[in-house]
Amino acid sequence: MTTSVALSCGYFDAWRCRSCTLLATPYEVQLAQQQARMEALLPPMLWDAPHASAVGGFRNKAKMAVAGTVEAPTLGILAADGTGIDLQACPLHEQPIVDAMPALERLVRDARLTPYDVPSRRGELKHLILTASPDGELALRIVLRSSESLPRIRKHLAVLDHLPLVSVSANLQPEHKAVLEGDDELLLAGDGVLVMRVNGIGLRLRPRSFFQTNTAVASALYRQATAWIDEADPATMLDLYCGVGGFALHAARAGRPISGVEVTAEAIDAARETAEAMGADASFTVGDAASVDLEGARAPELVVVNPPRRGIGELAGRLDASAVQRVVYSSCNPVTLARDLAAMPGFAPVRARAFDMFPHTDHAEVLVELARR
């Protein structure tokens, strides 16, 4: 086992950014410690070897807080006092994102986009959010306080023409609070769709869609879940918190009927489009995943859940009381996962595997299979 630091980061070494709290820990040790924490937290079950990530160049999304001045903007994070720390060359980001940063900085200057100053609550430009696809295409979201600067942005978008952008949109977030985006999204260029080609499936992302920030590890997560689902070979399957349909559409390739539920209409539209392009027997519905009807004969044989960090809450008890025979649970928070498993005593944990979506941090993604006792 190596004892050397596997990723070199000048920002970390200079103490400008310490977000990667475990960067000084050898990566193999990080994985072993992560696995040990999850095994201690969750019920006894069979654990497969953790799926490792590349140590750098793995993040497909950059959420850059903009600070400083029009003439000298910073694109990165904010210090405790609200001043900006420029991280344009962050080694976690995929290379097309890093390559695009100088052009984004030029857009800020040319369009005279005043960075939002948190302490004084003044300014217009809050964030630049850039997402890269496996095909090297990019989607940009510009988070603004108001629509005041939109004419200037449209006028100067040509400074981005050399970038492989398929979508540019503006999100309006007028409130002074720790919320990344607002309700209004305005398409400025492109068709608003970024295709994430994962395991041969072209998942469609629109500006407000969620997708894992580590494409390679997300691909492995989908493959593992699909293998477990194929082994169980359920007659019916339901994907709750389905997003753009990643788990459902992977499982649908076996020819079984699949349905998915997600609260975000934009994500459901994208899942439907992908299903149609695949010719998959899959249906997707906008709704509250926690309130789906699981009663009696309507209960599917297998349910996939991929909730936000808060977990599935009262849905755990409803699953436990239902006729569902198997659950595949993908969690980004082992603490709420442990709570939810305790609320489902009718299911036995069968096996689990950790997927390191977020190297150099304590964050963990884990996939667990549960079977009816």
Side-chain angles (χ1 to χ4, degrees):
M1 180 179 293
T2 179
T3 57
S4 63
V5 177
L7 178 67
S8 176
C9 178
Y11 301 120
F12 185 87
D13 294 341
W15 285 82
R16 290 188 57 74
C17 175
R18 305 291 286 190
S19 299
C20 294
T21 55
L22 303 180
L23 189 60
T25 303
Y27 186 57
E28 294 85 350
V29 177
Q30 293 182 35
L31 284 180
Q33 291 175 344
Q34 181 185 87
Q35 180 89 1
R37 286 194 300 270
M38 287 191 288
E39 289 188 21
L41 187 62
L42 299 175
M45 68 187 98
L46 175 67
W47 283 84
D48 291 342
H51 189 284
S53 171
V55 296
F58 58 82
R59 283 190 65 94
N60 59 34
K61 178 178 285 188
K63 300 178 181 178
M64 311 301 278
V66 184
T69 64
V70 170
E71 293 75 18
T74 62
L75 279 59
I77 59 175
L78 299 180
D81 62 359
T83 59
I85 299 174
D86 192 84
L87 300 178
Q88 292 187 44
C90 173
L92 299 186
H93 293 142
E94 293 184 6
Q95 194 60 46
I97 291 176
V98 177
D99 293 343
M101 287 297 158
L104 298 188
E105 180 181 339
R106 182 179 172 187
L107 176 66
V108 175
R109 295 196 308 266
D110 289 2
R112 308 298 296 173
L113 304 178
T114 306
Y116 185 69
D117 181 71
V118 173
S120 68
R121 303 189 180 191
R122 294 178 180 175
E124 283 295 312
L125 177 59
K126 293 187 172 184
H127 289 86
L128 295 171
I129 305 173
L130 192 65
T131 305
S133 78
D135 296 333
E137 295 179 330
L138 298 171
L140 173 65
R141 301 178 71 200
I142 305 170
V143 183
L144 302 163
R145 188 182 185 189
S146 75
S147 60
E148 178 270 332
S149 59
L150 288 178
R152 298 195 305 279
I153 292 174
R154 290 189 172 98
K155 178 181 177 180
H156 291 281
L157 273 181
V159 302
L160 306 180
D161 281 352
H162 65 288
L163 299 179
L165 282 165
V166 296
S167 174
V168 179
S169 63
N171 180 273
L172 303 185
Q173 210 301 66
E175 298 183 71
H176 180 83
K177 61 181 182 180
V179 176
L180 184 64
E181 62 185 36
D183 295 331
D184 296 327
E185 192 89 25
L186 309 172
L187 187 63
L188 304 181
D191 62 6
V193 176
L194 181 68
V195 177
M196 303 294 286
R197 214 166 301 282
V198 179
N199 300 321
I201 297 176
L203 298 173
R204 289 158 168 77
L205 300 189
R206 290 192 171 90
R208 302 171 69 88
S209 299
F210 168 80
F211 189 77
Q212 300 283 5
T213 58
N214 189 323
T215 305
V217 177
S219 300
L221 175 69
Y222 289 139
R223 291 194 300 271
Q224 184 67 81
T226 303
W228 290 353
I229 293 165
D230 287 346
E231 186 177 320
D233 194 22
T236 53
M237 177 185 143
L238 176 63
D239 183 1
L240 299 179
Y241 311 94
C242 68
V244 296
F247 287 103
L249 293 170
H250 276 76
R253 289 196 290 194
R256 65 178 62 91
I258 305 289
S259 57
V261 177
E262 164 66 42
V263 71
T264 307
E266 184 179 84
I268 290 297
D269 289 341
R272 288 169 177 166
E273 290 172 7
T274 307
E276 183 178 0
M278 293 171 58
D281 185 5
S283 62
F284 295 94
T285 304
V286 178
D288 179 4
S291 301
V292 169
D293 188 355
L294 298 171
E295 306 304 320
R298 290 183 291 273
E301 188 176 330
L302 184 148
V303 172
V304 174
V305 292
N306 181 29
R309 289 186 61 80
R310 65 178 178 271
I312 62 175
E314 63 181 27
L315 176 60
R318 296 185 59 239
L319 281 168
D320 196 62
S322 74
V324 172
Q325 293 299 300
R326 198 168 293 263
V327 175
V328 176
Y329 192 139
S330 180
S331 170
C332 61
N333 186 346
V335 173
T336 56
L337 172 61
R339 180 206 66 198
D340 291 340
L341 297 187
M344 293 188 283
F347 287 94
V350 177
R351 51 189 168 182
R353 190 176 189 187
F355 293 82
D356 194 16
M357 293 279 183
F358 319 100
H360 320 305
T361 75
D362 285 326
H363 295 294
E365 185 89 19
V366 60
L367 189 70
V368 177
E369 182 182 17
L370 310 169
R372 181 67 67 179
R373 295 185 191 273

